[in-house]
């Protein structure tokens, strides 16, 4: 019977140990799953996707206006429509809007409306037609329709962005509550484990009577335990070395620092060098930032408990570069800490700047194109609404004859020569651009009509007295016809350009090689050559 009692106790202890191990493993598995869920890439992309869709719709509307007015070829509309469709597709299939407490069917209606409309426009724009002709009346009509349709989508897109933000916030709150419930469950499990440990301790105390008889066995067990501890310690060291290797090999620079920035748990060698610190203990997060204001904003967001995702900032004052920062709060033991990792995006920023410059520059002359010139002029007017502003519209006389007699290479050289003379003849803040085939524009801020007419006359004389050398014949003399207009109070830029165009027409109709600044009433169409 005593043996049966000991067997019962042994079975009870084994069962309790099994339950404890099961609870511990279940808790660890739950924590790992939650951590994997929150650390998975691509979360909360719907906010960025909604902003991106809004930007692409705005860009599509602008491209449609440009195609409708003949500034851009129809192929640009086809490409821009494809980009907008790419931005739209992820939002069509997302379930994030189901997270809202109050359902908003107008959001899905907006997405469906944009999807159906973009499919219809995409079918209407034929690639063969785009390749067959640079300009297509059908494409322009469709561009006009697209621009008109998208003009009223602003409020709906704003509502879409707001709904995406609210939905992501709601989803995050629900997940936070679920995580809180998980930790409550783990707390209960820890209490059960504590109770089990107490029972085990009681059993150990009761088993001390048999300790003397098992001294030799305990000695052997201690030796085995020491060996296992050594093996476990070595395994932990190997894991730490592996983690160190992974962090050092990562393309992102990483630091783990206490929230009070007094203790550094880990910092990549690259960040250590960039901060100018000699060792880890002297690493200073503020020394990484080129702009102290950016560091202050970064720290303020972390102190508010925000999750920082893809914040752009300039790092390393000694050799500045653009970096993409990500950061989150966590705890190291009982101490709050910040995990910060960053990635060098200098090359991407440079590529974006080059693409922006190419989009705003005329390839042949290097001047601003029509869109960039008008955009810069609008910025000038917004900053100084009441300042005087004049516009020169310039046309090279008989330019078609130059192309016909000397070829397009000479024509291109003539355009570059005139552009160079215009650029060197005016000073900042004047704006110079090529707005047509042989047509240029000069915007003169803070300039009244009489002063603008003087500038126009100097430009006309300068071009007329500077012959262009031509390898296939005698030097080529070019002349300019110039229309001058000063902006009236409350006049739009479009109206100002239209008046300058009428004055240019008047100058050409009056014999060319002259300027016109009168109140002409001629139609807006250009004369030949």
């Amino acid at each position: 019977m005593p043996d049966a009692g000991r067997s019962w106790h042994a079975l009870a202890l084994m069962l309790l140990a099994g339950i404890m191990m099961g609870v511990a493993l279940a808790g660890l598995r739950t924590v790992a799953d939650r951590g994997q869920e929150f650390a998975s890439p691509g979360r909360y992309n719907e906010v960025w996707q909604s902003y991106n869709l809004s930007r692409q719709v705005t860009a599509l509307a602008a491209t449609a206006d440009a195609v409708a007015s003949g500034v851009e070829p129809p192929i640009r509309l086809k490409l821009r429509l494809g980009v907008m469709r790419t931005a739209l597709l992820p939002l069509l299939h997302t379930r994030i809007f189901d997270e809202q407490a109050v359902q908003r069917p107008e959001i899905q209606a907006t997405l469906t409306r944009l999807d159906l409309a973009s499919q219809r426009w995409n079918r209407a724009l034929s690639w063969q037609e785009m390749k067959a002709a640079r300009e297509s009346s059908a494409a322009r009509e469709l561009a006009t329709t697209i621009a008109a349709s998208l003009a009223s989508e602003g409020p709906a897109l704003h509502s879409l962005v707001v709904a995406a933000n609210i939905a992501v916030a709601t989803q995050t709150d629900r997940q936070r509550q679920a995580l809180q419930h998980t930790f409550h469950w783990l707390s209960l499990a820890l209490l059960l484990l504590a109770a089990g440990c107490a029972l085990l301790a009681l059993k150990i105390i009761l088993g001390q009577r048999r300790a003397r008889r098992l001294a030799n066995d305990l000695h052997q067990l201690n030796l085995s335990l020491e060996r296992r501890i050594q093996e476990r310690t070595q395994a932990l060291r190997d894991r730490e070395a592996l983690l160190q290797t992974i962090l050092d090999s990562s393309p992102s620079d990483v630091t783990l620092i206490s929230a009070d920035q007094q203790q550094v748990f880990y910092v990549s060698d690259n960040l250590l060098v960039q901060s100018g610190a000699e060792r880890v203990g002297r690493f200073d997060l503020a020394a990484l930032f080129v702009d102290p204001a950016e560091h202050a904003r970064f720290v303020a967001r972390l102190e508010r408990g925000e999750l920082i995702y893809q914040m752009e900032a300039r790092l390393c004052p000694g050799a500045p570069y653009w970096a993409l920062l990500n950061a989150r709060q966590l705890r190291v033991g009982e101490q709050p800490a910040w995990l910060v990792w960053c990635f060098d995006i200098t090359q991407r920023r440079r590529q974006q700047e080059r693409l922006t410059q190419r989009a705003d520059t005329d390839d042949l002359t290097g001047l601003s194109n029509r869109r960039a010139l008008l955009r810069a002029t609008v910025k000038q007017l917004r900053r100084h609404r009441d300042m005087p502003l004049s516009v020169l519209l310039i046309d090279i006389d008989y330019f078609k004859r130059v192309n016909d007699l000397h070829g397009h290479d000479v024509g291109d050289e003539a355009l570059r020569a005139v552009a160079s003379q215009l650029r060197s003849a005016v000073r900042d803040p004047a704006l110079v651009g090529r707005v047509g085939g042989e047509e240029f524009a000069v915007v003169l801020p803070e300039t009244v009509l009489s002063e603008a007419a003087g500038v126009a006359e100097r430009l006309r004389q300068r071009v007329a007295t500077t012959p262009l050398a031509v390898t296939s014949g005698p030097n080529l003399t070019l002349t300019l016809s110039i229309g001058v207009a000063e902006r009236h109070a409350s006049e739009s830029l479009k109206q100002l350009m239209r008046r300058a165009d009428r004055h240019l027409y008047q100058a050409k109709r009056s014999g060319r090689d002259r300027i016109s600044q009168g109140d002409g009433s001629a139609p807006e169409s250009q004369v030949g050559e």
Side-chain angles (χ1 to χ4, degrees):
M1 292 301 295
D3 291 336
R6 287 195 294 269
S7 176
W8 181 86
H9 285 297
L11 290 176
L13 288 174
M14 291 178 61
L15 179 61
L16 180 60
I19 294 174
M20 292 169 59
M21 292 180 61
V23 171
L25 291 176
L28 291 174
R29 177 61 181 273
T30 301
V31 171
D33 290 344
R34 292 294 184 181
Q36 183 68 24
E37 178 184 352
F38 280 94
S40 61
R43 289 174 57 84
Y44 315 128
N45 275 349
E46 289 80 6
V47 173
W48 175 85
Q49 290 167 357
S50 63
Y51 278 110
N52 186 40
L53 176 60
S54 179
R55 290 197 304 269
Q56 295 305 328
V57 170
T58 302
L60 176 60
T63 302
D65 284 334
V67 172
S69 59
V71 175
E72 296 283 355
I75 189 66
R76 294 295 297 272
L77 182 60
K78 180 72 173 179
L79 295 174
R80 179 57 66 184
L81 183 59
V83 174
M84 193 277 279
R85 286 282 303 166
T86 302
L88 175 63
L89 290 178
L91 290 174
L92 289 173
H93 303 292
T94 184
R95 305 291 299 178
I96 190 64
F97 297 109
D98 294 340
E99 299 290 339
Q100 298 180 104
V102 178
Q103 297 300 314
R104 300 178 63 182
E106 68 274 13
I107 300 303
Q108 190 60 43
T110 298
L111 295 174
T112 303
R113 183 170 63 255
L114 288 175
D115 181 38
L116 295 177
S118 59
Q119 290 183 30
R120 185 172 64 255
W121 297 333
N122 201 27
R123 289 193 298 269
L125 286 169
S126 168
W127 281 107
Q128 289 73 15
E129 183 181 1
M130 299 300 99
K131 295 179 179 178
R134 179 176 174 82
E135 298 185 0
S136 171
S137 59
R140 288 186 176 184
E141 293 176 359
L142 180 58
T144 302
T145 301
I146 293 175
S149 298
L150 296 180
S152 61
E153 291 294 343
L157 290 173
H158 176 74
S159 298
L160 173 64
V161 172
V162 172
N165 278 274
I166 294 174
V168 169
T170 303
Q171 183 188 54
T172 305
D173 188 62
R174 290 177 178 174
Q175 292 173 344
R176 179 189 60 78
Q177 293 176 1
L179 185 61
Q180 185 179 20
H181 294 159
T182 300
F183 280 114
H184 288 166
W185 179 84
L186 287 177
S187 299
L188 179 60
L190 289 175
L191 290 176
L192 293 177
L193 287 175
C197 291
L199 292 176
L200 286 176
L202 179 61
K203 179 58 180 178
I204 291 174
I205 293 174
L206 296 176
Q208 288 297 321
R209 296 178 181 180
R210 295 184 297 164
R212 296 173 184 176
R213 292 180 298 171
L214 301 175
N216 185 53
D217 293 339
L218 287 177
H219 177 69
Q220 296 298 325
L221 181 61
N222 286 335
L223 293 178
S224 176
L225 183 60
E226 288 179 0
R227 184 174 62 253
R228 293 180 62 185
I229 289 174
Q230 292 176 355
E231 293 173 353
R232 181 61 176 170
T233 302
Q234 185 62 41
L236 290 174
R237 290 174 180 172
D238 292 342
R239 292 180 63 184
E240 290 179 356
L242 177 60
L243 178 59
Q244 183 74 27
T245 302
I246 293 174
L247 290 174
D248 292 340
S249 303
S250 172
S252 299
D253 296 321
V254 183
T255 180
L256 179 60
I257 188 170
S258 62
D260 58 8
Q261 303 186 54
Q262 299 300 314
Q263 183 177 358
V264 180
F265 302 103
Y266 174 82
V267 59
S268 301
D269 292 339
N270 192 31
L271 290 182
L272 193 65
V273 172
Q274 292 174 10
S275 66
E278 298 178 356
R279 60 179 184 271
V280 174
R282 293 190 176 182
F283 173 74
D284 184 8
L285 186 62
L288 278 179
F289 288 80
V290 174
D291 186 359
E294 285 188 341
H295 170 257
R297 288 193 297 271
F298 181 76
V299 171
R301 291 180 62 184
L302 283 175
E303 290 176 344
R304 290 195 301 266
E306 293 185 24
L307 175 65
I308 298 179
Y309 179 68
Q310 295 189 351
M311 171 184 171
E312 293 187 6
R314 284 176 63 78
L315 302 184
C316 188
Y321 68 94
W322 281 101
L324 203 62
L325 295 177
N326 297 273
R328 61 176 301 169
Q329 286 190 347
L330 46 79
R331 302 189 72 84
V332 177
E334 296 298 325
Q335 188 174 6
W338 299 336
L339 176 62
V340 182
W341 62 100
C342 58
F343 186 78
D344 189 346
I345 59 168
T346 303
Q347 293 297 327
R348 189 179 77 180
R349 286 287 298 245
R350 290 175 180 171
Q351 184 178 9
Q352 290 175 346
E353 291 173 358
R354 287 195 297 268
L355 291 175
T356 301
Q357 183 179 7
R358 289 188 62 184
D360 293 341
T361 304
D362 177 61
D363 292 336
L364 179 62
T365 63
L367 299 177
S368 298
N369 57 29
R370 182 183 184 92
R371 179 178 58 186
L373 181 70
L374 294 178
R375 185 167 61 245
T377 304
V378 170
K379 288 182 179 179
Q380 290 275 6
L381 291 174
R382 286 177 178 172
R383 284 196 294 264
H384 309 286
R385 294 181 180 274
D386 298 328
M387 73 171 179
L389 182 139
S390 298
V391 172
L392 312 182
L393 276 186
I394 304 168
D395 192 88
I396 303 177
D397 295 327
Y398 302 109
F399 185 73
K400 183 176 183 299
R401 190 177 301 172
V402 174
N403 282 331
D404 293 341
L405 294 178
H406 302 283
H408 288 278
D409 290 340
V410 174
D412 291 344
E413 184 62 31
L415 290 172
R416 284 191 288 267
V418 171
S420 177
Q421 291 174 341
L422 294 178
R423 191 164 39 222
S424 61
V426 297
R427 299 179 179 177
D428 290 338
L431 306 173
V432 184
R434 182 185 177 198
V435 296
E438 67 273 15
E439 187 173 308
F440 300 85
V442 178
V443 179
L444 301 170
E446 301 179 1
T447 306
V448 297
L449 182 61
S450 59
E451 295 173 346
V455 174
E457 181 60 24
R458 288 197 300 273
L459 291 176
R460 186 193 66 79
Q461 293 181 6
R462 183 170 183 172
V463 173
T465 57
T466 308
L468 175 66
V470 180
T471 57
S472 60
N475 291 347
L476 180 64
T477 299
L478 302 174
T479 62
L480 302 179
S481 295
I482 305 176
V484 185
E486 180 185 0
R487 179 175 176 264
H488 297 158
S490 302
E491 184 179 30
S492 69
L493 179 59
K494 182 176 181 181
Q495 292 170 333
L496 174 61
M497 297 297 288
R498 187 177 300 153
R499 285 199 300 110
D501 186 63
R502 287 201 296 266
H503 299 332
L504 172 61
Y505 177 85
Q506 181 65 33
K508 300 183 73 169
R509 190 177 62 177
S510 300
R512 295 181 171 83
D513 190 18
R514 64 193 63 213
I515 68 172
S516 173
Q517 55 177 318
D519 294 329
S521 58
E524 298 178 14
S525 59
Q526 298 281 347
V527 297
E529 301 181 351

